[in-house]
């Protein structure tokens, strides 16, 4: 082995991209197995290299080498998948943003449960949660409190116990965690209000996809969007029994006056055990 | 202090990465083959003549690599302008995100926070953030790097398992 000089990150990057002379490559091969510090630094540099590729921070010869050498390996391509997923993580919505809504929820008789669950849901990644015990007398509908009457509300039997969730529009960045929707035991209907980036269609329909099996497990009827405090949203009621504790995606399609339905957004979430 | 089992796994991982960087098609199998040979040699001779066990593992790994070359068990480098067939495969869809979410949930809350924070930010800002994170946790940046790498590997393994379950 030649010298024991500690290689810098630039040299480690060139090693990972296979652009070092054979002698130097062998020196680093050996260090990657025998030298604790280099073994870990290589992994760190490799992670940062893959992240740089995924973020589009790579260019020129480095990008060419990365594509031709690094991505030739299926194992390494899996690292790119992980890096993309990690990049998609973003911080949870700040709880402070939603304090007024929480204050309104806390007026309900189930205030402790609702507040705790709401905070948990928001901390988990951007879902707002309201418990709407519509069978209870003299209890204001929380969505009404946000000046957003929902067409679905009128279709629901007042005797049915319903939970209402509001899902934010999906962002390119994704979320740190999927919003966790905890449906309390005894709930019969789940009202999902999907916030829209823009209301471009006369009607919408939704399909619930089980992400574990990739199957559509429920489809809605057509519904119109309406305005609420945060913009346009469209609401759907689905039977609570459809949801099991696992990950789902709501696929929202716009229905034009003439023509075929157009998929416009997916809202992923996790149904949490009650 | 690492246990013997952890040291074994760490050596296996290093060998796997060595073969992976050498573009071998089945780096995990070659890593196992290397460690099997090391174990056999130990059994036969009772000890190994090398400065350290890791050095000995590397020497054996080189042999294993040379043999694998003879079996042409390596990947062919793509020309730089080759169309990237990999692009659709690295698409991050919601299923991957959902699996990642499950994997993240399986980590301790502090670890979850650490890995998200460690890999956030771009270039220079990232370096500063990592320094600040290390200071906040009361560890050196080196120790933080190792911890983040370990967590990421754990996450990668867990994600691969979940994705292959489909």
């Amino acid at each position: 082995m030649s010298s024991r000089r500690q290689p810098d990150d630039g040299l480690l990057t060139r090693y990972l991209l296979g652009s070092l002379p054979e002698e130097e490559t062998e020196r680093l091969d050996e260090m990657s197995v025998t030298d604790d510090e280099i073994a870990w630094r290589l992994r760190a540099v490799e992670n940062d290299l893959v992240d740089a590729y995924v973020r589009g921070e790579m260019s020129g010869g480095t990008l060419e080498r990365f594509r031709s050498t690094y991505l030739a390996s299926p194992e390494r391509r899996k690292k790119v998948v992980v890096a993309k997923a990690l990049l998609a993580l973003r911080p949870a919505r700040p709880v402070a943003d939603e304090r007024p809504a929480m204050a309104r929820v806390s007026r309900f008789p189930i205030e402790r449960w609702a507040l705790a669950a709401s905070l948990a849901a928001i901390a988990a990644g951007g879902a707002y949660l309201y418990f709407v015990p519509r069978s209870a007398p003299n209890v204001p509908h929380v969505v009404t409190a946000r000046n957003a009457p929902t067409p679905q509300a009128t279709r629901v039997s007042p005797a049915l116990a319903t939970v209402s969730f509001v899902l934010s529009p999906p962002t390119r960045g994704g979320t740190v965690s999927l919003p966790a929707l905890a449906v309390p035991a005894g709930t019969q209907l789940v009202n999902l209000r999907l916030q829209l980036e823009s209301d471009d269609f006369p009607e919408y329909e939704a399909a619930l996809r089980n992400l574990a099996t990739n199957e559509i497990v429920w489809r809605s009827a057509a519904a119109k969007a309406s305005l609420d405090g945060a913009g346009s949203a469209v609401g759907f009621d689905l039977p609570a029994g459809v949801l099991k504790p696992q990950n789902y995606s709501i696929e929202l399609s716009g229905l034009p006056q003439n023509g075929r339905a157009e998929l416009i957004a997916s809202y992923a979430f996790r149904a949490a055990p009650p | 202090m690492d246990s013997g089992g952890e040291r074994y796994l760490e050596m296996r991982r290093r060998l796997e990465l060595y073969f992976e960087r050498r573009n071998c098609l089945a780096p995990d199998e070659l890593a196992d083959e290397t460690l099997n040979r090391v174990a056999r040699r130990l059994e036969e001779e009772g000890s190994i003549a090398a400065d350290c066990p890791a050095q000995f593992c590397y020497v054996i790994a080189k042999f294993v690599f040379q043999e694998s070359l003879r079996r042409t068990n390596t990947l062919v480098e793509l020309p730089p302008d080759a169309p990237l067939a990999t692009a659709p495969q690295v698409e991050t869809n919601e299923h991957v995100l959902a699996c990642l979410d499950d994997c993240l949930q399986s980590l301790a809350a502090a670890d979850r926070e650490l890995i998200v924070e460690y890999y956030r930010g771009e270039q220079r800002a990232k370096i500063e953030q990592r320094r600040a994170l290390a200071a906040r946790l009361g560890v050196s940046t080196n120790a933080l790097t190792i911890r983040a790498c370990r967590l990421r590997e754990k996450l990668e393994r867990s994600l691969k398992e979940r994705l292959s379950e489909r």
Side-chain angles (χ1 to χ4, degrees):
Chain A
M1 195 165 103
S2 50
S3 115
R4 272 286 170 189
R5 179 176 53 88
Q6 288 295 298
D8 61 21
D9 286 359
L11 192 76
L12 295 183
T13 301
R14 285 167 58 210
Y15 165 67
L16 290 167
L17 293 176
S19 44
L20 288 179
E22 185 57 26
E23 190 189 346
E24 192 76 347
T25 299
E26 280 202 17
R27 182 174 86 94
L28 285 167
D29 276 346
E30 182 173 352
M31 291 175 93
S32 75
V33 175
T34 61
D35 185 314
D36 288 346
E37 187 190 332
I38 294 299
W40 283 111
R41 273 186 57 208
L42 268 171
R43 289 186 223 183
V45 168
E46 184 171 1
N47 286 338
D48 286 344
L49 188 68
V50 175
D51 288 349
Y53 170 72
V54 166
R55 287 171 186 275
E57 294 168 358
M58 208 179 267
S59 59
T62 308
L63 179 60
E64 279 182 13
R65 287 298 299 177
F66 188 88
R67 283 179 167 167
S68 64
T69 309
Y70 195 90
L71 290 181
S73 149
E75 281 306 306
R76 289 166 161 189
R77 286 200 295 271
K78 286 178 192 162
K79 286 184 198 292
V80 175
V81 172
V82 173
K84 287 193 83 162
L86 276 173
L87 178 67
L89 302 177
R90 67 173 172 80
R93 180 188 294 268
V95 171
D97 289 352
E98 304 306 326
R99 273 181 191 158
M102 293 305 107
R104 282 194 292 273
V105 172
S106 68
R107 288 201 310 257
F108 296 126
I110 40 85
E111 61 182 289
R112 284 169 194 272
W113 178 87
L115 190 59
S118 304
L119 290 170
I122 288 167
Y128 311 81
L129 166 66
Y130 305 97
F131 186 56
V132 188
R134 291 179 191 165
S135 57
N138 305 320
V139 175
H141 190 301
V142 71
V143 180
T144 304
R146 299 179 83 209
N147 302 319
T150 61
Q152 287 67 37
T154 57
R155 293 204 301 267
V156 176
S157 157
L160 292 177
T162 303
V163 176
S164 199
F165 297 96
V166 180
L167 290 170
S168 308
T171 61
R172 269 199 170 279
T175 55
V176 160
S177 290
L178 293 181
L181 311 188
V183 179
T187 302
Q188 290 157 297
L189 275 181
V190 176
N191 174 249
L192 290 172
R193 278 194 67 74
L194 310 177
Q195 292 185 330
L196 302 172
E197 292 282 8
S198 59
D199 179 11
D200 300 323
F201 293 88
E203 286 188 312
Y204 298 84
E205 67 180 13
L208 181 70
R209 186 180 291 280
N210 177 335
L211 289 177
T213 62
N214 207 28
E215 287 171 358
I216 299 290
V217 293
W218 172 84
R219 282 185 193 279
S220 75
K224 291 183 190 301
S226 58
L227 284 173
D228 66 12
S232 296
V234 58
F236 302 98
D237 291 319
L238 73 142
V242 169
L243 293 175
K244 312 291 177 212
Q246 61 185 59
N247 294 326
Y248 292 94
S249 166
I250 294 267
E251 295 175 359
L252 183 68
S253 298
L255 303 174
Q257 289 284 13
N258 301 301
R260 301 176 59 182
E262 189 182 322
L263 180 66
I264 53 171
S266 291
Y267 301 72
F269 68 90
R270 183 160 52 89
Chain B
M1 178 115 176
D2 285 349
S3 70
E6 281 169 347
R7 280 204 301 272
Y8 175 89
L9 289 176
E10 172 59 19
M11 179 50 66
R12 188 186 180 281
R13 181 69 187 136
R14 287 184 195 181
L15 292 169
E16 198 180 350
L17 288 170
Y18 161 72
F19 290 118
E20 195 178 297
R21 287 169 193 145
R22 283 293 185 165
N23 284 337
C24 297
L25 280 176
D28 51 343
E29 289 172 17
L30 297 178
D32 286 337
E33 172 62 22
T34 303
L35 290 171
N36 288 343
R37 288 190 195 188
V38 171
R40 274 205 299 275
R41 183 71 72 89
L42 263 174
E43 242 176 51
E44 286 163 13
E45 299 181 11
S47 63
I48 46 176
D51 290 348
C52 69
Q55 180 75 29
F56 185 70
C57 288
Y58 174 67
V59 171
I60 300 290
K62 268 176 70 173
F63 281 116
V64 171
F65 172 61
Q66 293 299 332
E67 287 171 19
S68 78
L69 278 185
R70 286 196 283 277
R71 295 194 304 267
T72 62
N73 183 23
T74 51
L75 296 162
V76 178
E77 191 170 313
L78 299 171
D81 56 349
L84 260 190
T86 54
Q89 294 167 28
V90 298
E91 189 83 10
T92 303
N93 56 29
E94 280 174 3
H95 174 65
V96 175
L97 283 175
C99 288
L100 178 68
D101 180 70
D102 284 345
C103 300
L104 279 169
Q105 296 302 326
S106 69
L107 297 178
D111 288 345
R112 199 159 52 229
E113 195 180 318
L114 186 145
I115 194 166
V116 170
E117 187 127 345
Y118 185 88
Y119 289 107
R120 188 181 302 156
E122 291 173 15
Q123 292 171 325
R124 188 135 202 92
K126 186 157 68 179
I127 297 168
E128 292 306 318
Q129 270 173 223
R130 288 176 182 178
R131 279 203 193 113
L133 181 61
R136 207 167 73 224
L137 295 173
V139 297
S140 67
T141 48
N142 205 26
L144 178 68
T145 300
I146 291 175
R147 205 167 142 193
C149 281
R150 280 202 166 118
L151 283 172
R152 184 160 172 160
E153 285 189 352
K154 191 174 170 185
L155 208 55
E156 282 175 358
R157 273 197 306 275
S158 165
L159 186 60
K160 277 185 217 167
E161 280 165 17
R162 279 180 191 268
L163 291 175
S164 64
E165 277 169 10
R166 290 198 66 201

